[in-house]
């Protein structure tokens, strides 16, 4: 099994096979428009602009599971991303990324690459950890997605090669993307 075995919903409600991305390097991200990490949309768009011609695709999957930080409709989410951050990479239909109702894609991704901890040097790591302990302690258990803007890097052959937590350095994300792009 690999990433190409999955079908997801576009923000217009149509089915899209991830097999359409064969041969591309993918960065799959769960997103939210009202989160402390929302400014990462700017960095993600910058990566997309810089590496799209070399074969990078970024796929955004909005989720409202984390403190209700993505309350809008699919159309509102799309409009927010384009208007506020100039996002041109695909933003798919809103859905769950953890728990019993998680999209099969995200069940697969978290099985392939488990939680390795938050980046201790990021200024929001301690705040996020404390908030999870206080309000969502069950989120800290296991390999499930802990918060918005968790990223999964997929190589050109459809294999999950890395997971980046929302507190991870975007420089490290870029370095890993470049390494995947260099492997043909």
């Amino acid at each position: 099994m690999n990433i190409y075995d999955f079908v997801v919903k576009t923000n217009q409600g149509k089915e899209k096979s991830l097999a359409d991305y064969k041969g591309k390097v993918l960065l799959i991200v769960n997103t939210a428009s009202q989160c402390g990490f929302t400014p990462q949309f700017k960095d993600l768009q910058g990566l997309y602009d810089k590496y799209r011609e070399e074969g990078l695709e970024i796929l955004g999957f909005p989720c409202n599971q984390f403190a209700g930080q993505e309350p809008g409709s699919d159309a509102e989410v799309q409009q927010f991303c384009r208007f506020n951050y100039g996002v041109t990479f695909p933003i798919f239909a809103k859905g769950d990324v953890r728990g019993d109702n998680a999209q099969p894609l995200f069940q697969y991704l978290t099985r392939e690459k488990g939680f390795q901890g938050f980046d201790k040097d990021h200024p929001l790591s301690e705040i996020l950890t404390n908030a999870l302990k206080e309000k969502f302690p069950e989120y800290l258990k296991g390999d499930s997605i802990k918060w918005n803007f968790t990223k999964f890097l997929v190589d050109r052959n459809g294999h999950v090669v890395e997971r980046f937590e929302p507190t991870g350095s975007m420089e490290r994300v870029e370095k890993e993307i470049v390494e995947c792009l260099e492997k043909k």
Side-chain angles (χ1 to χ4, degrees):
M1 174 172 260
N2 70 30
I3 208 79
Y4 305 133
D5 296 321
F6 294 92
V7 174
V8 296
K9 287 210 185 258
T10 69
N11 65 2
Q12 291 89 27
K14 296 179 180 165
E15 290 191 344
K16 172 88 170 158
S17 171
L18 293 185
D20 294 347
Y21 295 104
K22 278 186 179 174
K24 302 280 188 176
V25 170
L26 304 178
L27 189 65
I28 299 172
V29 187
N30 73 297
T31 65
S33 59
Q34 296 179 12
C35 176
F37 295 105
T38 299
Q40 287 188 16
F41 273 124
K42 180 181 178 192
D43 296 325
L44 293 168
Q45 184 61 42
L47 290 171
Y48 190 60
D49 291 342
K50 189 172 182 179
Y51 297 108
R52 183 176 184 199
E53 294 298 316
E54 294 178 46
L56 175 66
E57 287 291 339
I58 297 176
L59 311 179
F61 288 86
C63 177
N64 196 40
Q65 284 185 285
F66 304 99
Q69 295 180 341
E70 189 56 271
S73 68
D74 286 334
E76 290 168 333
V77 170
Q78 184 74 29
Q79 182 179 9
F80 172 87
C81 293
R82 287 195 193 280
F83 181 76
N84 291 287
Y85 294 98
V87 169
T88 59
F89 56 83
I91 302 291
F92 289 85
K94 189 164 71 171
D96 287 355
V97 299
R98 62 170 289 121
D100 294 340
N101 296 322
Q103 299 171 65
L105 170 63
F106 283 90
Q107 292 174 15
Y108 171 77
L109 291 169
T110 55
R111 275 194 313 271
E112 291 296 300
K113 287 293 173 188
F115 180 64
Q116 300 295 312
F118 296 121
D119 179 350
K120 303 274 189 235
D121 296 327
H122 193 284
L124 293 178
S125 289
E126 185 177 352
I127 294 167
L128 179 57
T129 300
N130 290 337
L132 289 171
K133 284 179 183 175
E134 181 182 324
K135 296 182 180 179
F136 308 101
E138 68 278 11
Y139 285 14
L140 291 170
K141 297 176 184 164
D143 288 326
S144 64
I145 292 177
K146 308 303 177 203
W147 206 252
N148 303 307
F149 290 90
T150 300
K151 301 159 201 69
F152 294 88
L153 183 62
V154 178
D155 69 15
R156 293 181 188 270
N157 298 310
H159 302 290
V160 183
V161 295
E162 193 59 72
R163 173 177 171 162
F164 308 97
E165 299 306 324
T167 59
S169 130
M170 291 303 283
E171 290 80 18
R172 180 170 165 250
V173 173
E174 182 172 11
K175 178 184 175 291
E176 298 289 336
I177 287 171
V178 168
E179 286 180 19
C180 275
L181 288 169
E182 290 174 348
K183 296 176 185 173
K184 295 282 180 175

